[in-house]
Amino acid sequence: GDVYKRQQKNGRVTGVQTARGEIEAEYVVNCAGMWARQLGALAGVNVPNQAAEHYYLITEEIETLTSPTPVLEDPSSFGYYRDEMGGLMIGLFEPVCAPWKIEGVPRDFSFGEISPDWDRMTPYLETAMSRVPISNEVVIRKFFCGPESFTPDLLPIVGEAPELRNYFVAAGLNSIGIIIGPGLGQILAHWIIHGTPEADVTPFHIDRLHRYQNNPEYRRQRTVESLGLVYRHHYPGRSPETARDVKKSPFHDRLKAAGAYFKDVSGWEGADWYAPPGVEAKVEELSWGRQGWFEYWKAEHEAAREGVILMDMTFMGKFLVQGRDAGRVLDRISANHVDGDAGTITYTQWLNEKGTLEADVTVTKLAEDRFLVVVTDTMHRHVETWIKRNTPDDAHAIVTDVTSGYGQLNVQGPRSRELLQALTTEDLSNEAFPFRAAREIDMGFARVLCVRITYLGELGYELYVPSEHATHVYDCIVEAGRDVGLKHAGLKALGSLRMEKAYRDYGHDIDNTDDAYETGLGWFVDLDKPDFIGKAYCAERKAQGPAYDRRLLQVLVKDPEPLLYHAEVVYRNDRAVGYV
């Protein structure tokens, strides 16, 4: 509570000012638990964790309790049990919690207690105690209600803040800090000392979180849901239900009318799959097996391979980088050569000095001094920060987030050229508009940036439509699509289509612990360029040849029944050789 402000200069932390004086510091780590949000706000750093009431009781000593006693969890009773000074602690993770002090933790609060709501908690407490009957026969030494903090996605908030260099955060451990705290401390120490973490930090990096998630009403609603998920089944594909239907693409209402089922995509409403006419777009029951929408997904996948599909990908992060030195800056950041001919899109990886992946993006050169960088939703803030922090002070290159300025429609499949050619006077023939071409074309009454590129492995185009013209262009495409069997496709199809073609997805197949060569991306590293971040590593790595300790491979599962999600172990001759 003594900290009044963070000291900073040129976007970098320089120390801490406290009521007892000033402390110079090259690095500052905010590991203040439920106070981290307010402490971060003093430095302009976004840490959207929120405190909620947490209950437990402690019994008197139980003579028959052996030591050491295992820690037990019973999600069906919303309870956990462990030894506490010879007695039993019974803790509760209620399914509908009570957020505490949305406006902020009081400055004088430290290791305090909250007045409990036992009317609300008694039924949960009775259920939890019935699991260990002896707890009903001994004296209760202590009833306790105190605050613990939780994050919007029930994952920790760790890493260097995008707003301020050398300001690290380790907070929001969602009541399991005693389990994961040591590991995160080790990662953070490695990060500060060596400049990179030693583990995949994609899921819990602080820069995955956006400023709107610090909105008080957002925190009030989402905290109830995230804490409530602690002791509920973590089904694959489960999407948050609170603070939804707010962040929408310009096409949202059109897609809803077309039968879209929406899931949360970094806060965006993303069309996951489409129900056929007459069928309500809803999930009947979550499971690890095939669900009702499986056949709809299959039909969308086949339509992309055999005909033409329309897919909304407005959620992708889009950044306009412009200025005299924009090309030079982006070419140094990119492992591939991106500063070539104008009107060209280039797929590239961004590496750090150690040669591991920081991002996987496309860079479109619109003009000599204007570029468009596009990246997956989860890496939105990371990419923006990486560009800014790798732009020299004397370089003239300005980064502008234009994500909301464009609706993005992907028209993909063997008949995509036939469909779009009916809508524009631009010649879309292979000779006039080859693969990787990018130029503005007319469509209806609008001008649209059309890029011939695919993430699905078919002939296809990405259309970047100014938001004010988005629904008009959508209507034009759908109307013309009637003649060629146009089908809407969702993000389930995006996933299966790109995996079938071995296209990578940052955060799933590749992450910050990988390099380009072991993941099959060495094709996109241009060692002929004078310099780029990570070049020395890449040159040495390529010279070693393909003798990698590990590689990313495609494995065909011949039995169609098991559905694989993440981290399943792969065996060869009864020996574990990798994981999904």
Side-chain angles (χ1 to χ4, degrees):
D2 287 343
V3 181
Y4 289 143
K5 67 178 181 179
R6 291 285 181 270
Q7 291 192 309
Q8 48 188 277
K9 183 179 181 181
N10 297 330
R12 186 185 299 268
V13 72
T14 59
V16 181
Q17 180 73 39
T18 79
R20 300 178 183 176
E22 182 179 320
I23 305 169
E24 288 187 15
E26 188 179 351
Y27 294 88
V28 169
V29 182
N30 177 350
C31 46
M34 67 179 177
W35 291 271
R37 176 170 52 82
Q38 292 155 256
L39 211 54
L42 295 175
V45 172
N46 180 54
V47 189
N49 62 327
Q50 173 59 47
E53 294 180 7
H54 182 62
Y55 291 79
Y56 63 79
L57 62 82
I58 300 174
T59 71
E60 290 287 355
E61 187 173 347
I62 300 174
E63 293 182 3
T64 55
L65 200 64
T66 58
S67 184
T69 303
V71 177
L72 307 175
E73 290 188 347
D74 179 13
S76 63
S77 299
F78 303 103
Y80 65 90
Y81 314 82
R82 67 174 175 84
D83 175 29
E84 181 71 16
M85 296 185 297
L88 193 67
M89 173 191 280
I90 301 178
L92 298 167
F93 282 106
E94 54 183 319
V96 181
C97 75
W100 183 71
K101 299 294 183 185
I102 298 291
E103 70 280 6
V105 180
R107 291 181 65 84
D108 59 353
F109 185 90
S110 177
F111 298 101
E113 296 186 29
I114 302 170
S115 179
D117 183 352
W118 289 117
D119 288 340
R120 185 178 94 249
M121 295 306 300
T122 296
Y124 297 109
L125 187 60
E126 290 174 344
T127 300
M129 292 178 71
S130 69
R131 176 58 71 194
V132 185
I134 199 172
S135 64
N136 289 290
E137 302 172 15
V138 295
V139 175
I140 304 300
R141 181 194 304 163
K142 175 73 174 176
F143 282 112
F144 179 83
C145 175
E148 284 195 278
S149 76
F150 295 84
T151 65
D153 54 7
L154 209 61
L155 292 168
I157 302 175
V158 180
E160 186 178 18
E163 298 91 350
L164 187 59
R165 295 205 75 162
N166 291 4
Y167 184 109
F168 284 77
V169 176
L173 304 195
N174 299 291
S175 197
I176 57 169
I178 199 168
I179 300 172
I180 65 173
L184 289 179
Q186 184 180 32
I187 287 172
L188 215 62
H190 192 280
W191 205 334
I192 291 171
I193 294 169
H194 300 288
T196 57
E198 59 183 355
D200 174 15
V201 294
T202 315
F204 48 84
H205 198 306
I206 185 173
D207 62 18
R208 78 187 185 279
L209 299 164
H210 294 262
R211 301 196 71 82
Y212 77 88
Q213 292 174 291
N214 231 326
N215 178 292
E217 191 56 33
Y218 179 97
R219 286 187 280 108
R220 185 192 309 277
Q221 293 192 26
R222 182 55 66 85
T223 301
V224 174
E225 182 177 17
S226 62
L227 190 155
L229 286 173
V230 172
Y231 275 177
R232 292 177 68 188
H233 291 306
H234 290 205
Y235 287 108
R238 179 193 286 277
S239 204
E241 298 174 359
T242 55
R244 289 286 305 277
D245 209 27
V246 176
K247 197 173 177 183
K248 299 185 260 190
S249 85
F251 313 108
H252 180 270
D253 291 347
R254 299 288 204 278
L255 304 185
K256 187 175 183 180
Y261 172 80
F262 295 98
K263 72 172 182 178
D264 182 295
V265 182
S266 296
W268 290 89
E269 295 297 312
D272 202 26
W273 47 267
Y274 288 82
V279 177
E280 185 179 356
K282 68 177 183 179
V283 172
E284 300 293 343
E285 183 180 18
L286 290 167
S287 80
W288 278 274
R290 282 165 171 71
Q291 299 178 46
W293 40 257
F294 198 89
E295 290 301 315
Y296 313 152
W297 171 16
K298 177 184 176 183
E300 294 169 23
H301 182 111
E302 290 175 341
R305 291 283 179 250
E306 300 167 4
V308 57
I309 57 99
L310 176 69
M311 185 179 290
D312 177 22
M313 293 188 67
T314 302
F315 58 83
M316 296 289 282
K318 311 171 198 72
F319 298 94
L320 194 63
V321 184
Q322 50 190 342
R324 180 183 63 248
D325 301 314
R328 176 170 63 87
V329 168
L330 287 172
D331 216 37
R332 182 179 175 275
I333 291 173
S334 303
N336 207 345
H337 179 47
V338 300
D339 191 18
D341 295 335
T344 305
I345 187 171
T346 304
Y347 172 54
T348 184
Q349 285 69 50
W350 290 358
L351 312 175
N352 52 47
E353 292 291 358
K354 297 187 185 318
T356 58
L357 304 173
E358 289 290 340
D360 186 67
V361 306
T362 60
V363 178
T364 302
K365 184 171 182 177
L366 302 171
E368 286 303 318
D369 60 351
R370 194 157 51 94
F371 295 76
L372 182 69
V373 175
V374 179
V375 65
T376 189
D377 57 289
T378 54
M379 300 300 290
H380 184 124
R381 298 192 75 199
H382 187 79
V383 158
E384 181 179 23
T385 305
W386 192 257
I387 300 172
K388 291 179 177 178
R389 290 184 177 170
N390 285 287
T391 299
D393 292 339
D394 61 349
H396 185 259
I398 310 300
V399 183
T400 307
D401 184 352
V402 294
T403 303
S404 301
Y406 294 92
Q408 183 180 339
L409 287 177
N410 285 13
V411 180
Q412 302 276 320
R415 302 192 71 177
S416 57
R417 179 187 287 124
E418 180 184 355
L419 169 56
L420 293 187
Q421 189 63 82
L423 291 168
T424 182
T425 59
E426 183 78 26
D427 183 359
L428 297 183
S429 67
N430 193 56
E431 296 73 26
F433 208 104
F435 182 64
R436 294 180 58 211
R439 66 186 69 141
E440 197 175 81
I441 67 172
D442 60 282
M443 194 165 288
F445 298 116
R447 297 291 293 179
V448 174
L449 174 62
C450 178
V451 182
R452 187 178 158 193
I453 199 75
T454 181
Y455 189 49
L456 310 184
E458 298 293 343
L459 171 68
Y461 305 83
E462 294 181 356
L463 306 176
Y464 296 87
V465 191
S467 293
E468 65 272 25
H469 288 143
T471 53
H472 166 66
V473 170
Y474 170 90
D475 291 342
C476 291
I477 294 172
V478 169
E479 181 61 33
R482 301 186 199 281
D483 296 332
V484 292
L486 176 68
K487 190 175 182 65
H488 286 76
L491 300 178
K492 281 276 186 295
L494 177 74
S496 59
L497 288 159
R498 67 94 188 164
M499 280 191 281
E500 193 170 67
K501 296 293 184 177
Y503 294 164
R504 310 314 192 203
D505 188 356
Y506 197 101
H508 293 283
D509 322 305
I510 55 177
D511 59 57
N512 58 274
T513 65
D514 301 317
D515 70 30
Y517 295 93
E518 63 193 8
T519 52
L521 296 169
W523 300 100
F524 305 103
V525 176
D526 184 359
L527 289 173
D528 292 333
K529 289 200 305 180
D531 189 32
F532 60 87
I533 300 173
K535 182 179 179 180
Y537 172 91
C538 289
E540 182 180 335
R541 183 71 154 151
K542 188 172 183 180
Q544 293 173 354
Y548 309 125
D549 294 334
R550 58 179 192 160
R551 296 190 75 163
L552 180 61
L553 301 175
Q554 294 286 92
V555 176
L556 174 65
V557 182
K558 293 183 178 180
D559 180 356
E561 284 309 307
L563 302 181
L564 305 182
Y565 296 101
H566 268 199
E568 293 89 355
V569 179
V570 178
Y571 292 89
R572 182 181 187 187
N573 299 331
D574 297 324
R575 184 169 69 91
V577 294
Y579 62 92
V580 175

